[in-house]
C-alpha cells in the first residue's frame, strides 16, 4: 500500500456512488428496535422498484437521535460519502421506521408519498453539534474500509509515517491540547511524551473500550460507527511512542462493537494498513482485541492491563504508572476510545485547528450520551465550554411531560449530581470538578422533579458496592456500610448520627482507597449532600439517645454510652 | 548503590536507593501498622493501613509499595492517619465474624494486636454477620472463611514461594473469597503440596492447623500407658 493506492481506493469509492444513498442506522440503539429488518426491507424495496442502479442502501453507524430510532435518512446527489456533513444532516430524515414502511420510503424517490414520521434535521439537537469524533458516524459504512478511506481515512496515518518524526507527532499532540476523554482529563500529549521517552525495547498501546458507566454509550457508538478512526488513532500513537503491538479492551456486553472491530482489523490488515511496513515505512503495528468479562473495575487502567495479561482484573498501586511499567512491565500507552478517535482529525486538519475549538484549558469537543428524563435521548458532540443548559434544555429538549429538570448527573458512579441552578456552568474538565462532579467519559443522566436524590445516591452506591473488586478494605467494606446507611436513611430509620457516620465514611473511602473506583465512589453521595442536603435531613428521625456528642462522628453505633441513657433534662 | 536521605516523623533517616518507605521506617525503628504486608513476599498495597502522608503530595501513599526519594518528608502517625486506621480496622471487624474469644488465633492474631495498638475499643459500624463455610476437607489444615480478611498473603506465598498456585481469589467486593484450585474442596486439591505455607502466612484464624486448636485438640493418653508397659516388659531392649 502506498499513497497512490489509497487515493485510488477513495476515488473508486466516490465514483461508485449512486444517485441516492439511503442511510439506515445499524448501531446497537436502532438495531434493538429492528433497524436490521428495516435495512433488509429497504434492499428488497429498491430491487422491486427497479432502482438498484440509482439507489444505495447503506447500513451506517449511529445517527444520534437514538430515542426516535430506527432512523433512516435519504441523501440526494453530492452528499453522503463524498461530502462531510458537519453536524448538519441534510435530506429528509425519517424516524421510528418499520420494515413495512420501506416500500413507501423508496417510492418517495419516484415522487411518491409516505406516511412515515418525518424527523427535523434542522432542530438544535442536530444543528448545534460540532462533529469531530462523530464526523463519520451515520455517514460511512462501518463494515467497509473503502467507505472510511473515501472519507479521507488513513491519510493522516500516511502523512505521519512518511512526513513526521515520532517527536513531531508528540509535539503536535501537545500543541493540540487534547486531554484524555476517559474522564480524568490527563493531557494526552504529555502521556505520549512520557511513554516515548521511557526506554524499552517493547512498548504497547492499549485502547480502553471497557465503557461501564450506567447510562453511557459514547464509546460503543464510536466503535460501532467508525471503528477505523480508532485503529488509525492507535497506529499514530504507536508510531509516536515506538510501540509495535496494540490491544483494544472491549467489554463483552458490546458484541456488535467487537464484531465490527474485528472486521475492521481484518480489512486494515488485508489493505496493509496494519501489520509490517505500513505505507512501506519501517513501522510495524498489529492490533488484537481483548474481551472483558463483565467487571466494571477493568476500566481502571492497571486492572485492565492485569486482565489483558490473563490475570484477575484487580488494580495495583500507582506509581509506577503504565507509561513507565505497564503491560507485562513494558512502557504502555493507554487511552480511551474517544481520545484515539480524536487523533486522525487532529493530524488531518492540524493541531492549531483543534486547539481553536473549545475553552482555554479544555480543547476540542466532547461526546455525551444523553439519557434519563430527557426528551431527546441520544448521542451528541459539542465544543468544550458549551453550557449544560444548552445541552439539556435546548438540544436535549428538556424533561418530558412538561416536568422540570432537577439535576444532571455526569461522570457515572465516579461523578456527581449538578443541580438545576448550576445549569449555566460551561462543560469543561475544571468547571465540573469545582461542582464536585467530573467530566467522566460522557454519560449524562438527566433527572426531573420526580427523582429523589437519596435514591440516586443509593443507586450509584449499590453499583460501586457490587463492582468493587474486593482488594482494598475501604472500598470493599466501606461501600457496603455506606449502602447500608443510605438504605437506613431511605427507610426513615436513620438518625443525624447515621448521617455523620455516612459522611465520615465518604471521607475515608475517598482518601484511602487503592484505585479510582473507590476514590470516587463517594462522589454521588457527597454531591447530593452538597446540593440536596435537605432531602437527606427530611428523612432522618430524632436521635433517641440524645446523649453527649463525642468529637468522633458516629461514636454511638457500638451502643450508647451509659450516661447517654439518662433522661434528657 | 546510592543512598537516599529522607525525613520520617521529623527524624532524618537514610535508606538504600530502592527501599520502600516501610523498609526505611522499620530500619529506623519507626513502626508503621501493616496487615497485608509480609516480609519476603511481594506487596499488594491492599490493606491501606500503612498509608502515610508525604509533604507536597495530596494523596496518601502506601508505605509498603512507595519507594523512598531524596528529601521526602514522611509523616506516619498523624491524627488523620490514626482516625483512618481505626475506621479501616472497624470495617474489617464488622465485615465478617471476628470474635476473638472463640477464635483459634486468640492472642496470636495480627488483626487483634493491631486493633489493640490502634486504640480500637469498639466497632461503630453495624456487624454484617455473613454466613461463610468452613473448609475442613484437608487432612492437615482448615480454612474458616468467616475469619478471612482477604489480605491474600496465602495466595501470594502459594504462588510465589511454594509455586503450587493452589490458592486463588474468586468473586469480587464483599463476595470475594479465597478458593482452592478452581473452587474445589481443599482436600480434593491435586495441586496442594501440603506445605503449610499459607497457614504460616495467615494473620488471623482463617487458616489453621488441624487438631491443635480448642475443641479439636485430642490428647493421646494411650501413649503414656504404652510407654509404661513397654518399660515394664523391657520391650525396648534388644533380645540376645
Amino acid at each position: 500500500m502506498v499513497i497512490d493506492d489509497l487515493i485510488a481506493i477513495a476515488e473508486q469509492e466516490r465514483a461508485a456512488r449512486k444517485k441516492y444513498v439511503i442511510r439506515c442506522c445499524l448501531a446497537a440503539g436502532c438495531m434493538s428496535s429492528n433497524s436490521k429488518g428495516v435495512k433488509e426491507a429497504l434492499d428488497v424495496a429498491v430491487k422491486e422498484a427497479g432502482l438498484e442502479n440509482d439507489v444505495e442502501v447503506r447500513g451506517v453507524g449511529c445517527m444520534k437521535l437514538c430515542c426516535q430510532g430506527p432512523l433512516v435518512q435519504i441523501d440526494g446527489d453530492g452528499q453522503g460519502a463524498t461530502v462531510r456533513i458537519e453536524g448538519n444532516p441534510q435530506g429528509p430524515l425519517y424516524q421510528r421506521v418499520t420494515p413495512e414502511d420501506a416500500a413507501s420510503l423508496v417510492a418517495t424517490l419516484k415522487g411518491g408519498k409516505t406516511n412515515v414520521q418525518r424527523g427535523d434535521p434542522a432542530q438544535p439537537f442536530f444543528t448545534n453539534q460540532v462533529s469531530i469524533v462523530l464526523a463519520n458516524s451515520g455517514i460511512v459504512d462501518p463494515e467497509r474500509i473503502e467507505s472510511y478511506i473515501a472519507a479521507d481515512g488513513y491519510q493522516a496515518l500516511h502523512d505521519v509515517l512518511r512526513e513526521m518524526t515520532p517527536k513531531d507527532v508528540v509535539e503536535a499532540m501537545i500543541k493540540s491540547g487534547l486531554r484524555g476523554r476517559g474522564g480524568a482529563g490527563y493531557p494526552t500529549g504529555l502521556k505520549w511524551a512520557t511513554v516515548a521517552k521511557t526506554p524499552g525495547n517493547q512498548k504497547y498501546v492499549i485502547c480502553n473500550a471497557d465503557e461501564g458507566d450506567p447510562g453511557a454509550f459514547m464509546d460503543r457508538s464510536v466503535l460501532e460507527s467508525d471503528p477505523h478512526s480508532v485503529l488509525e488513532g492507535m497506529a499514530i500513537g504507536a508510531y509516536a511512542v515506538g510501540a509495535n503491538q496494540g490491544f483494544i479492551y472491549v467489554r463483552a456486553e458490546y458484541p456488535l462493537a467487537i464484531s465490527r472491530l474485528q472486521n475492521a482489523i481484518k480489512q486494515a490488515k488485508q489493505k496493509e494498513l496494519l501489520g509490517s511496513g505500513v505505507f512501506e515505512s519501517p513501522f510495524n503495528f498489529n492490533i488484537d482485541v481483548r474481551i472483558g468479562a463483565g467487571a466494571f473495575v477493568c476500566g481502571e487502567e492497571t486492572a485492565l492491563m492485569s486482565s489483558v495479561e490473563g490475570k484477575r482484573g484487580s488494580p495495583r498501586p500507582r506509581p509506577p504508572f503504565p507509561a513507565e511499567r505497564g503491560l507485562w512491565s513494558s512502557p504502555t500507552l493507554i487511552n480511551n476510545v474517544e481520545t484515539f478517535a480524536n487523533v486522525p482529525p487532529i493530524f488531518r486538519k492540524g493541531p492549531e485547528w483543534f486547539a481553536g475549538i473549545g475553552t482555554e484549558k479544555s480543547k476540542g469537543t466532547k461526546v455525551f450520551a444523553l439519557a434519563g428524563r430527557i426528551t431527546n435521548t441520544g448521542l451528541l458532540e459539542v465544543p468544550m465550554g458549551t453550557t449544560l443548559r444548552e445541552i439539556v434544555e435546548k438540544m436535549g429538549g428538556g424533561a418530558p411531560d412538561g416536568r422540570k429538570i432537577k439535576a444532571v448527573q455526569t461522570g457515572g458512579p465516579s461523578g456527581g449530581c449538578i443541580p438545576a441552578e448550576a445549569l449555566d456552568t460551561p462543560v469543561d474538565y475544571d468547571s465540573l470538578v469545582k461542582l464536585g462532579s467530573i467530566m467522566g467519559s460522557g454519560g449524562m443522566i438527566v433527572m426531573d422533579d420526580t427523582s429523589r436524590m437519596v435514591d440516586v445516591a443509593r443507586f450509584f452506591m449499590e453499583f460501586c458496592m457490587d463492582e468493587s473488586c474486593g482488594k482494598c478494605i475501604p472500598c470493599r467494606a466501606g461501600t457496603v456500610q455506606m449502602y447500608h446507611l443510605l438504605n437506613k436513611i431511605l427507610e426513615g430509620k436513620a438518625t443525624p448520627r447515621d448521617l455523620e457516620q455516612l459522611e465520615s465514611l465518604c471521607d475515608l473511602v475517598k482518601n484511602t482507597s487503592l484505585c479510582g473506583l473507590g476514590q470516587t465512589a463517594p462522589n454521588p453521595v457527597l454531591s447530593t449532600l452538597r446540593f440536596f442536603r435537605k432531602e437527606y435531613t427530611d428523612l432522618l428521625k430524632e436521635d433517641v439517645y440524645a446523649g453527649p456528642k463525642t468529637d468522633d462522628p458516629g461514636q454511638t453505633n457500638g451502643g450508647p454510652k451509659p450516661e447517654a441513657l439518662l433522661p434528657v433534662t | 548503590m546510592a543512598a537516599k536521605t529522607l525525613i520520617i516523623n521529623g527524624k532524618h533517616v537514610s535508606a538504600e536507593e530502592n527501599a520502600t518507605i516501610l523498609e526505611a521506617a522499620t530500619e529506623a525503628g519507626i513502626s508503621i501498622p501493616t496487615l497485608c504486608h509480609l516480609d519476603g513476599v511481594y506487596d499488594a498495597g491492599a490493606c491501606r493501613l500503612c498509608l502515610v502522608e508525604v509533604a507536597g503530595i495530596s494523596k496518601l501513599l502506601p508505605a509498603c509499595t512507595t519507594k523512598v526519594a531524596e528529601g521526602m518528608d514522611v509523616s506516619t502517625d498523624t491524627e488523620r492517619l490514626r482516625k483512618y486506621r481505626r475506621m479501616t480496622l472497624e470495617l474489617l471487624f464488622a465485615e465478617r465474624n471476628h470474635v476473638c474469644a472463640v477464635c483459634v488465633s486468640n492472642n496470636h492474631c495480627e488483626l487483634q494486636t493491631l486493633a489493640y495498638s490502634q486504640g480500637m475499643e469498639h466497632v461503630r459500624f453495624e456487624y454484617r454477620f455473613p454466613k461463610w463455610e468452613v473448609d475442613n476437607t484437608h487432612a492437615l489444615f482448615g480454612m474458616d472463611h468467616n475469619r478471612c480478611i482477604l489480605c491474600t498473603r496465602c495466595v501470594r506465598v502459594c504462588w510465589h514461594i511454594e509455586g503450587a498456585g493452589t490458592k486463588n481469589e474468586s468473586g469480587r467486593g464483599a463476595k470475594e473469597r479465597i478458593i482452592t484450585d478452581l473452587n474445589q474442596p481443599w482436600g480434593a486439591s491435586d495441586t496442594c503440596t501440603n506445605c503449610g505455607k499459607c497457614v504460616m502466612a495467615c494473620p488471623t484464624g482463617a487458616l489453621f492447623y488441624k487438631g491443635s486448636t480448642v475443641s479439636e485438640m485430642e490428647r493421646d493418653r494411650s501413649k503414656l500407658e504404652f510407654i509404661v508397659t513397654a518399660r515394664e516388659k523391657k520391650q525396648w531392649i534388644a533380645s540376645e
Side-chain angles (χ1 to χ4, degrees):
Chain A
M1 170 73 70
V2 292
I3 187 67
D4 291 339
D5 300 335
L6 195 74
I7 293 169
I9 294 171
E11 275 171 5
Q12 201 182 342
E13 179 72 11
R14 284 175 200 143
R17 190 190 184 282
K18 294 175 184 170
K19 196 170 166 195
Y20 295 105
V21 177
I22 302 179
R23 289 182 283 121
C24 179
C25 176
L26 287 185
C30 285
M31 287 269 260
S32 65
S33 36
N34 196 23
S35 70
K36 195 148 197 222
V38 174
K39 161 95 169 38
E40 281 160 9
L42 282 166
D43 279 327
V44 173
V46 166
K47 213 171 264 175
E48 278 175 0
L51 288 169
E52 292 109 309
N53 294 330
D54 289 336
V55 180
E56 176 197 348
V57 180
R58 185 186 297 172
V60 295
C62 184
M63 291 166 73
K64 296 161 195 178
L65 194 56
C66 302
C67 59
Q68 299 293 352
L71 297 168
V72 171
Q73 193 161 19
I74 304 179
D75 299 327
D77 280 321
Q79 286 169 15
T82 51
V83 174
R84 198 171 292 274
I85 301 167
E86 300 264 338
N88 187 14
Q90 312 272 311
L93 173 73
Y94 297 97
Q95 50 196 32
R96 295 183 188 272
V97 182
T98 61
E100 293 74 42
D101 297 331
S104 73
L105 281 185
V106 174
T108 61
L109 301 176
K110 284 178 162 177
K113 280 213 168 118
T114 178
N115 292 326
V116 182
Q117 200 183 330
R118 282 284 287 270
D120 177 14
Q123 60 179 307
F125 181 83
F126 292 113
T127 53
N128 287 17
Q129 297 209 25
V130 172
S131 298
I132 295 175
V133 171
L134 299 179
N136 290 330
S137 176
I139 310 274
V140 304
D141 182 349
E143 308 259 359
R144 292 181 63 246
I145 191 170
E146 295 83 3
S147 191
Y148 178 68
I149 292 174
D152 300 334
Y154 288 106
Q155 274 192 16
L157 178 62
H158 170 267
D159 297 347
V160 162
L161 291 181
R162 304 292 301 191
E163 287 159 27
M164 294 171 86
T165 65
K167 217 175 156 195
D168 294 338
V169 178
V170 170
E171 262 166 33
M173 278 314 282
I174 292 173
K175 213 186 277 174
S176 75
L178 177 66
R179 290 170 70 175
R181 296 295 194 243
Y186 190 78
T188 309
L190 190 58
K191 197 185 255 183
W192 287 26
T194 313
V195 184
K197 280 176 187 160
T198 309
N201 295 325
Q202 175 68 58
K203 294 182 188 179
Y204 296 100
V205 171
I206 298 178
C207 173
N208 184 348
D210 194 50
E211 178 176 58
D213 292 357
F217 47 91
M218 306 73 52
D219 294 347
R220 190 198 71 203
S221 299
V222 171
L223 293 174
E224 287 172 356
S225 310
D226 197 14
H228 284 287
S229 68
V230 179
L231 303 187
E232 192 181 356
M234 285 178 75
I236 293 173
Y239 176 69
V241 302
N244 62 7
Q245 175 66 48
F247 292 97
I248 304 179
Y249 190 87
V250 204
R251 60 195 305 224
E253 291 87 342
Y254 287 176
L256 186 63
I258 293 167
S259 84
R260 291 207 172 141
L261 268 176
Q262 281 168 337
N263 176 56
I265 292 170
K266 201 171 112 196
Q267 290 177 347
K269 277 184 183 161
Q270 277 167 355
K271 292 258 182 290
E272 295 170 10
L273 293 161
L274 287 175
S276 329
V278 181
F279 283 117
E280 303 198 339
S281 75
F283 175 67
N284 306 324
F285 187 56
N286 276 307
I287 298 179
D288 285 322
V289 174
R290 287 287 180 274
I291 296 166
F296 177 70
V297 73
C298 286
E300 198 278 341
E301 56 186 17
T302 57
L304 187 154
M305 292 187 305
S306 177
S307 180
V308 171
E309 289 175 8
K311 298 180 192 146
R312 180 183 162 88
S314 49
R316 59 156 177 80
R318 298 177 305 177
F321 287 92
E324 195 189 324
R325 251 177 99 82
L327 197 58
W328 289 296
S329 300
S330 297
T332 303
L333 172 69
I334 174 160
N335 277 137
N336 162 270
V337 171
E338 198 186 326
T339 313
F340 279 124
N342 265 301
V343 173
I346 287 175
F347 286 91
R348 227 170 9 235
K349 299 187 182 178
E352 295 83 7
W353 161 81
F354 189 83
I357 302 167
T359 65
E360 197 195 332
K361 284 189 174 161
S362 305
K363 302 296 186 193
T365 57
K366 179 78 194 85
V367 181
F368 290 103
L370 208 52
R373 307 287 264 163
I374 185 93
T375 310
N376 294 334
T377 301
L379 204 62
L380 46 84
E381 184 173 6
V382 289
M384 292 279 187
T386 308
T387 62
L388 274 169
R389 189 179 301 284
E390 165 133 15
I391 295 173
V392 297
E393 287 187 351
K394 203 165 166 198
M395 301 175 75
D401 312 324
R403 301 212 77 102
K404 257 188 79 188
I405 289 177
K406 182 174 177 183
V408 178
Q409 210 277 347
T410 69
S414 313
C417 293
I418 296 165
E421 300 84 68
L423 277 186
D424 289 311
T425 312
V427 177
D428 59 58
Y429 291 101
D430 311 290
S431 306
L432 291 183
V433 169
K434 264 185 222 147
L435 284 172
S437 187
I438 56 164
M439 173 79 80
S441 57
M444 209 176 251
I445 300 170
V446 183
M447 290 151 215
D448 67 12
D449 47 12
T450 59
S451 306
R452 292 197 305 169
M453 302 318 280
V454 186
D455 238 346
V456 172
R458 179 178 64 172
F459 169 82
F460 284 109
M461 192 50 68
E462 188 178 10
F463 182 87
C464 290
M465 176 181 79
D466 286 341
E467 294 298 340
S468 167
C469 78
K471 182 169 178 175
C472 76
I473 302 162
C475 176
R476 181 182 79 223
T479 51
V480 171
Q481 293 289 350
M482 286 198 279
Y483 174 69
H484 170 67
L485 284 169
L486 286 165
N487 263 332
K488 207 170 161 188
I489 292 171
L490 279 164
E491 285 163 10
K493 290 179 185 162
T495 64
R497 291 186 184 209
D498 288 314
L499 188 60
E500 280 178 47
Q501 189 175 52
L502 179 66
E503 289 187 282
S504 66
L505 271 170
C506 285
D507 175 52
L508 173 83
V509 176
K510 188 183 167 117
N511 288 305
T512 64
S513 291
L514 195 162
C515 82
L517 196 162
Q519 287 160 9
T520 58
N523 280 358
V525 177
L526 288 170
S527 75
T528 47
L529 269 172
R530 179 170 161 190
F531 295 112
F532 304 95
R533 195 178 184 92
K534 197 165 172 299
E535 291 195 27
Y536 283 83
T537 51
D538 282 352
L539 288 165
L540 298 181
K541 61 171 190 169
E542 229 171 280
D543 199 338
V544 279
Y545 305 125
K549 263 182 109 174
T550 56
D551 300 335
D552 221 350
Q555 187 84 36
T556 50
N557 245 34
K561 294 209 165 156
E563 63 271 26
L565 291 168
L566 295 173
V568 181
T569 48
Chain B
M1 189 184 280
K4 305 267 178 193
T5 310
L6 65 157
I7 304 164
I8 304 181
N9 298 346
K11 184 176 164 187
H12 285 266
V13 167
S14 83
E16 282 177 11
E17 192 177 11
N18 277 320
T20 62
I21 295 177
L22 181 63
E23 286 163 349
T26 310
E27 205 188 322
I30 297 164
S31 116
I32 299 176
T34 58
L35 202 48
C36 67
H37 168 82
L38 185 63
D39 283 336
V41 192
Y42 76 93
D43 278 306
C47 73
R48 318 308 281 169
L49 286 166
C50 71
L51 286 179
V52 294
E53 289 176 13
V54 176
I57 296 175
S58 57
K59 272 190 181 167
L60 302 173
L61 297 172
C64 64
T65 60
T66 309
K67 298 258 189 281
V68 295
E70 188 64 35
M72 201 180 222
D73 186 358
V74 183
S75 304
T76 70
D77 196 30
T78 64
E79 182 57 42
R80 183 180 177 218
L81 290 173
R82 279 200 294 271
K83 182 180 113 191
Y84 286 160
R85 283 174 191 150
R86 214 166 53 234
M87 279 178 85
T88 306
L89 284 167
E90 285 174 46
L91 282 173
L92 269 184
F93 272 86
E95 188 181 29
R96 291 194 180 180
N97 198 335
H98 298 285
V99 182
C100 302
V102 293
C103 179
V104 294
S105 277
N106 193 8
N107 286 333
H108 305 283
C109 171
E110 288 181 40
L111 180 64
Q112 187 185 31
T113 312
L114 260 181
Y116 284 140
S117 72
Q118 298 303 309
M120 194 201 96
E121 297 168 322
H122 56 271
V123 173
R124 289 165 294 179
F125 305 112
E126 210 156 292
Y127 281 90
R128 312 306 305 161
F129 293 126
K131 287 204 164 46
W132 290 92
E133 68 200 44
V134 179
D135 184 346
N136 256 328
T137 56
H138 194 278
L140 305 173
F141 319 118
M143 163 124 207
D144 184 350
H145 291 280
N146 296 293
R147 288 170 180 149
C148 177
I149 55 168
L150 298 168
C151 65
T152 69
R153 280 185 187 182
C154 54
V155 178
R156 284 177 281 151
V157 294
C158 188
W159 282 81
H160 292 269
I161 297 186
E162 178 62 7
T166 304
K167 292 280 176 202
N168 279 301
E169 295 158 76
S170 138
R172 63 171 181 249
K175 293 182 192 116
E176 184 185 347
R177 61 195 210 97
I178 303 297
I179 55 165
T180 310
D181 289 337
L182 295 169
N183 201 13
Q184 282 135 321
W186 198 353
S189 169
D190 291 333
T191 59
C192 179
T193 59
N194 308 332
C195 73
K197 291 188 178 67
C198 52
V199 185
M200 295 172 212
C202 184
T204 69
L207 288 164
F208 52 87
Y209 298 105
K210 271 187 167 176
S212 61
T213 51
V214 200
S215 67
E216 274 189 318
M217 192 194 282
E218 281 180 27
R219 290 169 216 278
D220 192 0
R221 301 240 154 82
S222 63
K223 203 164 199 168
L224 303 171
E225 196 190 342
F226 166 77
I227 292 168
V228 173
T229 312
R231 190 184 288 159
E232 280 170 0
K233 295 191 176 168
K234 303 196 159 110
Q235 284 172 338
W236 288 336
I237 297 170
S239 52
E240 287 156 30

